[in-house]
Amino acid sequence: MSTPDGPPGRPERGTGSGTHGDGGPGDGRDRRREGAESLRAILGGRGGAIDASVPVGAFVLVWLLAGALGWWSPVGIAAGAAILAGVVVAIVRLARGTRPRAVLFGLLGVAVAAIVALYTGRAEDFFLVQILSNVASALAWAVSIVVRWPLLGLVVGTALGQRTRWRRDPDLLRGYQRASWVWVAQYVVRVAVFVPLYQAEWVFALGAARVAFSPALVALSVVLSWPALRSALPPDHPGIRHPRVPGDDPGGPTVEGPATDR
């Protein structure tokens, strides 16, 4: 996930900038536009999901080819192809400036999936780790909402350098809870699609769904997150970059300044 660059400085109050000013209706539109753009930039979109789909596509295509040509151990050859594709994707992502830890986790996921398939000798088990990960993610996001530590708030707050300051803004907390349900829903949809295909041992259908369906779901979740979050914010709220904490000086520190979690 990329972090958007903050504005060069804090605008003067009353200038109609749409951040803290007391201008006309344009202020609200500017805040909404800035919030939507910031959230989409932080969450990224379907780019990462597409990168993660490359090793899956390599596995399925090589498995089909090896089986059609009668090669020895189609699953083994396909697993090797998936790992090789994962290494290539990792190199490309590092060259694009992706954080090494995120790249390592992605490559590790491919390697584990390949090892599971090699161990069982069943091509469909290449997708088992992904299915279990989706189940765990749905549960984790849902629990985070219930305990009032929505994961979307943690992701965005960390990216904006706010730490957990957003939790002391009741409107933002409620907004992040609502928007986090969007991500719970997309994980539930994934499980609902992948599990029947896995049980039916439809490897090609699993691969096709993973390559085409998952990136679309991620992109849709990014798009829907902002309206869900915004629905909890009053019209005069300054936006996700500026948590409004009761008792704070309105001109106090924001994300551009020395924000602290007091």
Side-chain angles (χ1 to χ4, degrees):
M1 296 183 184
S2 59
T3 304
D5 295 330
R10 183 186 304 156
E12 295 297 329
R13 301 185 66 190
T15 60
S17 65
T19 305
H20 290 293
D22 298 323
D27 289 345
R29 287 193 295 271
D30 290 343
R31 283 195 295 268
R32 287 193 293 270
R33 187 179 303 111
E34 177 190 15
E37 291 174 352
S38 297
L39 193 61
R40 290 173 186 173
I42 292 167
L43 297 179
R46 61 182 180 181
I50 292 175
D51 289 345
S53 298
V54 172
V56 177
F59 177 88
V60 173
L61 291 177
V62 171
W63 177 77
L64 289 172
L65 179 63
L69 297 178
W71 291 351
W72 174 80
S73 185
V75 173
I77 297 174
I83 293 175
L84 179 60
V87 171
V88 172
V89 168
I91 293 173
V92 172
R93 294 185 71 192
L94 286 173
R96 290 193 314 217
T98 305
R99 294 179 180 179
R101 184 167 62 177
V103 173
L104 179 61
F105 280 138
L107 184 57
L108 180 61
V110 174
V112 171
I115 290 172
V116 171
L118 281 172
Y119 179 77
T120 65
R122 291 159 31 104
E124 62 269 22
D125 284 344
F126 181 80
F127 300 90
L128 183 58
V129 173
Q130 180 69 36
I131 292 172
L132 294 177
S133 174
N134 287 331
V135 172
S137 295
L139 290 174
W141 280 76
V143 169
S144 76
I145 297 168
V146 173
V147 300
R148 298 173 62 83
W149 280 90
L151 284 176
L152 186 64
L154 291 174
V155 170
V156 176
T158 299
L160 293 179
Q162 298 167 349
R163 299 183 184 177
T164 59
R165 180 180 173 81
W166 55 270
R167 285 197 77 245
R168 296 195 289 144
D169 183 332
D171 296 319
L172 265 184
L173 174 58
R174 184 167 55 253
Y176 283 130
Q177 285 180 300
R178 291 184 184 179
S180 290
W181 282 118
V182 173
W183 293 85
V184 174
Q186 70 107 5
Y187 286 119
V188 170
V189 170
R190 289 192 196 201
V191 173
V193 170
F194 291 145
V195 169
L197 296 177
Y198 173 80
Q199 291 176 332
E201 301 180 3
W202 291 350
V203 177
F204 179 77
L206 277 167
R210 178 65 180 81
V211 171
F213 188 55
S214 292
L217 269 180
V218 172
L220 183 62
S221 298
V222 171
V223 170
L224 295 180
S225 290
W226 172 246
L229 193 160
R230 181 64 204 177
S231 68
L233 304 182
D236 63 340
H237 195 283
I240 61 175
R241 288 177 173 272
H242 309 280
R244 190 164 59 182
V245 179
D248 269 11
D249 179 1
T254 64
V255 67
E256 301 95 68
T260 57
D261 185 22
R262 294 177 295 182

